[in-house]
Amino acid sequence: MVKIKRALKYEADGFKSLIKSIHNIITAQNNKIISHDTVLPHIYKNDYEFPFETDILIIGSGVMGLSASYWLKYFARQDISVVIVEKDIDYSSSTSLLSMGGIRQQYSLEENIKMSLFGAHFIRNYASYFRLPLSNIEPPKISYNPQGYLMLASSEGVDQLHSNYLMQREYGCHTKLLSPANLKLKFPWLNIEGIELASYGLYNEGWFDAWELMMNFKTYGVFHGVKHIHGQLLGFESKTLGTYYDPITHQLLEFKRPNKAILNVKWGDGTIQRKKILFSKLINASGINAADVAQMLDIGSGEIGREIPLPVEPRQRYVYVINCPEGPILDCPFLIDKSGLALRRHDLHGNYLVLLSPQSEEFSEITNDAGTYFETNIRPILTQRIPCFKNLKVVKYWCGFYDYNFVDQNAIIGPHPYHTNVYMINGFSGHGLQHSPAAGRAIAEHIFHDDYVTLDLNCFKFERFSQKELVFDKHII
Ligand SMILES: Cc1cc2nc3c(=O)[nH]c(=O)nc-3n(C[C@H](O)[C@H](O)[C@H](O)COP(=O)(O)OP(=O)(O)OC[C@H]3O[C@@H](n4cnc5c(N)ncnc54)[C@H](O)[C@@H]3O)c2cc1C
């Protein structure tokens, strides 16, 4: 009887704390607070509360981990248990919060276009996707700002831009081509020197708030029972399931499947303790650390079935906030210059965000000299292309890391061919945020149906690296 009473009290406390967590997340989101006290729903206090086993374990609660958890719960509600482990609960180095928040349809690869189309649909209809059943809690906004991407091409890029345009139109994107004369007419402040053709997204492009999207994913997940752990993944234990016959070497090998994660867990009182969690399936959503997590599973060790490493590494990018009251403000599209320079409006007070991905690989080396990089590489391009920016001032900058797939710069989605209970959602190389709704849905579908249901993303499978079926998109920025 005492036990039942204690269990009921625990259940009631759990429910109260769940409601409080959701309230905290929403308040934090509305106030744009990025702090672990308010946004972490469960800081475990003791072993009694700690989830020692789960159906699905997700490593990383950036936008990919949160999206995957959202879709798992969207499809299965309480029928599946989901735990997310995150080492950096202030999100200080999470790529998701350091992005420019852009969404575009202007890609050259069919799957990227379709993922973006779904991303735009999802963002435009976020209120219905995030509505909590039997609750009067309104989903917080996502601050979507519709504004077309304007892609500029020199004579070398004209054919590519034109064929991208035809493909985008075929899939229902509202892309429009602009001749230099029409470009000047529409954007008179633009210097069109060296530009032979431009394409402009008339619908479903723009930017949104990454933090708001993430907190919506999180709120929905917490409401449906997703558990969050503040902890760092250290490694795995595997269970021997039998023997594996390798058809190439004709060897009989012990077949092991990872089923336990070893974590350093941070408890509510700040102490750290080593814990293990039993899982059935694992999702590697660890962003720039994805290859390290893969290595813990011997992926890339050269052993049979695990020869090829996960080709993801951090690539440094600076985002600058510049101020120039004479700039085009509301008339400013999300501009992608032929040099690769990206510019978008930040607010209505003459502030803009600028990013330039380096042409050479050397920039992957960490450099602390953001000021020199701006003056040498960005200011000349910017003031040449937009002469009214001649008095611009750099207000601040931040440094983020692309989760860069250094083989073909596209996402790696789906199960690993050897560790079939390990799913990857990695390597988005600068376009992950907008593809997170489609990527998370794809992972959840694959987990439930062993294949994709709504959008076939098989081209992003890990096996493409060994089967030499690389996928390139001519419009990766
Ligand atoms: C400067 C910049 C601009 C960008 N602009 C855009 C844009 O305009 N549009 C767009 O769509 N995309 C953009 N992106 C890309 C986009 O932000 C990323 O592709 C996306 O956010 C990746 O999300 P993620 O969840 O995989 O990674 P993250 O957000 O980095 O999340 C991974 C999480 O895993 C955690 N983790 C790692 N290892 C462990 C471990 N061992 N144990 C526990 N936790 C762990 C990390 O702490 C981290 O929080 C941009 C990126 C950058 C850097």
Side-chain angles (χ1 to χ4, degrees):
M1 193 58 165
V2 175
K3 263 190 180 167
I4 294 173
K5 267 191 181 167
R6 199 188 297 154
L8 285 174
K9 180 178 176 326
Y10 181 63
E11 281 283 300
D13 286 353
F15 185 70
K16 271 191 225 154
S17 97
L18 170 67
I19 295 296
K20 191 165 172 253
S21 299
I22 289 169
H23 179 75
N24 283 348
I25 297 176
I26 292 173
T27 313
Q29 178 166 342
N30 288 339
N31 297 332
K32 295 253 166 96
I33 298 169
I34 303 176
S35 133
H36 85 81
D37 284 347
T38 41
V39 298
L40 192 76
H42 298 286
I43 302 179
Y44 293 97
K45 295 185 191 77
N46 49 47
D47 275 2
Y48 188 50
E49 298 174 353
F50 190 78
F52 283 101
E53 59 178 76
T54 180
D55 294 326
I56 315 281
L57 181 67
I58 302 178
I59 309 302
S61 73
V63 75
M64 293 304 164
L66 291 173
S67 172
S69 70
Y70 164 85
W71 284 106
L72 288 165
K73 286 296 181 180
Y74 184 88
F75 291 134
R77 298 282 195 264
Q78 306 302 332
D79 295 337
I80 193 163
S81 55
V82 179
V83 170
I84 307 189
V85 183
E86 172 57 55
K87 62 176 176 165
D88 173 21
I89 55 173
D90 294 333
Y91 290 117
S92 54
S93 57
S94 151
T95 299
S96 304
L97 287 191
L98 300 168
S99 83
M100 289 177 83
I103 176 160
R104 60 184 160 111
Q105 253 88 87
Q106 297 183 62
Y107 287 94
S108 73
L109 190 70
E110 177 187 334
E111 285 78 1
N112 279 339
I113 296 172
K114 289 183 173 170
M115 284 176 92
S116 281
L117 281 167
F118 179 68
H121 159 82
F122 188 88
I123 283 155
R124 284 180 174 277
N125 295 285
Y126 77 93
S128 62
Y129 278 105
F130 290 127
R131 193 165 310 287
L132 302 175
L134 304 176
S135 139
N136 57 4
I137 305 173
E138 268 300 300
K141 62 186 169 46
I142 294 203
S143 304
Y144 170 54
N145 185 100
Q147 189 103 50
Y149 270 67
L150 181 67
M151 307 275 197
L152 305 181
S154 63
S155 51
E156 294 103 76
V158 166
D159 289 347
Q160 185 64 51
L161 199 70
H162 193 257
S163 67
N164 292 352
Y165 157 81
L166 292 177
M167 184 179 235
Q168 289 152 15
R169 295 292 296 194
E170 190 185 328
Y171 295 120
C173 307
H174 298 260
T175 315
K176 185 180 177 178
L177 286 180
L178 296 173
S179 66
N182 286 339
L183 187 61
K184 191 74 192 167
L185 214 59
K186 184 150 182 61
F187 304 104
W189 42 270
L190 207 60
N191 175 4
I192 59 165
E193 195 185 321
I195 303 302
E196 290 294 318
L197 191 64
S199 67
Y200 187 45
L202 300 178
Y203 187 63
N204 274 344
E205 299 198 333
W207 58 88
F208 57 93
D209 192 304
W211 169 245
E212 291 171 356
L213 175 68
M214 286 166 69
M215 287 308 106
N216 265 305
F217 280 141
K218 193 167 192 169
T219 311
Y220 187 95
V222 169
F223 187 87
H224 290 99
V226 173
K227 298 209 156 83
H228 290 254
I229 292 177
H230 183 191
Q232 173 153 13
L233 173 79
L234 301 177
F236 294 97
E237 283 179 6
S238 301
K239 187 179 174 190
T240 302
L241 292 174
T243 41
Y244 167 79
Y245 171 70
D246 182 57
I248 300 168
T249 61
H250 304 292
Q251 281 174 287
L252 273 181
L253 303 159
E254 207 180 42
F255 176 62
K256 288 181 168 185
R257 174 164 289 185
N259 74 333
K260 253 185 209 165
I262 307 162
L263 312 174
N264 257 352
V265 174
K266 195 159 185 189
W267 298 98
D269 63 5
T271 53
I272 293 175
Q273 234 184 8
R274 193 153 298 188
K275 291 281 161 200
K276 291 180 187 175
I277 292 195
L278 192 67
F279 62 84
S280 168
K281 292 177 194 280
L282 179 88
I283 301 177
N284 178 0
S286 57
I288 57 170
N289 300 118
D292 303 336
V293 171
Q295 247 176 26
M296 294 176 194
L297 296 160
D298 290 338
I299 294 171
S301 63
E303 287 178 45
I304 288 172
R306 285 149 291 168
E307 292 87 349
I308 301 200
L310 187 67
V312 176
E313 65 179 26
R315 287 283 169 97
Q316 190 180 15
R317 298 288 185 268
Y318 288 121
V319 178
Y320 299 86
V321 181
I322 59 161
N323 180 270
C324 185
E326 301 83 31
I329 309 191
L330 266 177
D331 281 341
C332 189
F334 202 133
L335 180 75
I336 309 294
D337 184 49
K338 67 183 177 66
S339 59
L341 180 136
L343 168 96
R344 77 154 167 90
R345 180 170 60 78
H346 185 44
D347 55 27
L348 298 173
H349 307 286
N351 292 313
Y352 302 82
L353 299 186
V354 191
L355 175 146
L356 175 65
S357 289
Q359 302 296 319
S360 96
E361 297 296 301
E362 286 155 37
F363 198 56
S364 61
E365 296 295 321
I366 293 174
T367 158
N368 290 324
D369 203 351
T372 308
Y373 187 74
F374 185 88
E375 294 305 328
T376 318
N377 299 288
I378 296 184
R379 190 185 285 271
I381 299 174
L382 204 51
T383 49
Q384 190 266 342
R385 185 61 64 216
I386 309 175
C388 63
F389 271 167
K390 66 177 188 299
N391 295 324
L392 74 88
K393 288 191 177 61
V394 177
V395 178
K396 62 177 179 183
Y397 70 88
W398 68 81
C399 174
F401 290 88
Y402 272 12
D403 43 336
Y404 196 78
N405 163 355
F406 55 84
V407 175
D408 62 10
Q409 294 80 53
N410 269 304
I412 302 156
I413 302 178
H416 186 268
Y418 180 87
H419 291 306
T420 49
N421 66 329
V422 174
Y423 291 76
M424 290 157 284
I425 182 164
N426 308 121
F428 288 83
S429 314
H431 51 284
L433 195 62
Q434 61 200 278
H435 286 171
S436 62
R441 184 183 63 173
I443 287 285
E445 284 179 357
H446 215 293
I447 284 179
F448 291 128
H449 305 286
D450 211 16
D451 206 347
Y452 300 115
V453 178
T454 44
L455 178 56
D456 183 354
L457 295 184
N458 271 304
C459 74
F460 295 135
K461 64 186 179 209
F462 184 83
E463 291 91 311
R464 75 183 190 263
F465 303 114
S466 56
Q467 294 167 354
K468 306 272 179 290
E469 291 171 2
L470 302 182
V471 279
F472 290 99
D473 191 304
K474 301 284 169 14
H475 251 152
I476 297 298
I477 300 161

